[in-house]
Amino acid sequence: MSAASFQPPRRLILAAPVGIYSTITLAPENGWTEAAIIGAVLFALVLFGPILIRAAAKAAAVRAVTKARKTEKKEGGKK
């Protein structure tokens, strides 16, 4: 793979400035430790948030299908 064909992850391009900006702007108010923690949490939310939302939606869809199948089996067995 050549350097010309490399494409960095888009979410990383968005997440890094969010984490850095929040750390720098909150440092005078809260101190570096708390600002760094908040910046790291925001970085993780921007980076992994869409993945977690997709996973939760997929899990909810699977749960709904399995619940529908269970109720279908219960109703079919009672008749």
Side-chain angles (χ1 to χ4, degrees), residues 3-78:
S5 65
F6 176 72
Q7 291 181 335
R10 288 184 181 153
R11 275 186 252 120
L12 184 60
I13 293 170
L14 294 173
V18 169
I20 293 169
Y21 178 77
S22 61
T23 301
I24 291 171
T25 56
L26 292 174
E29 299 171 10
N30 301 331
W32 283 106
T33 305
E34 290 181 20
I37 292 170
I38 293 170
V41 168
L42 289 175
F43 174 79
L45 284 174
V46 171
L47 191 60
F48 300 113
I51 296 168
L52 294 174
I53 291 170
R54 275 190 228 115
K58 189 179 283 187
V62 169
R63 200 173 308 122
V65 168
T66 55
K67 188 174 182 179
R69 286 183 184 167
K70 283 183 182 179
T71 57
E72 188 177 292
K73 285 182 182 179
K74 286 181 183 177
E75 290 177 1
K78 290 182 180 179

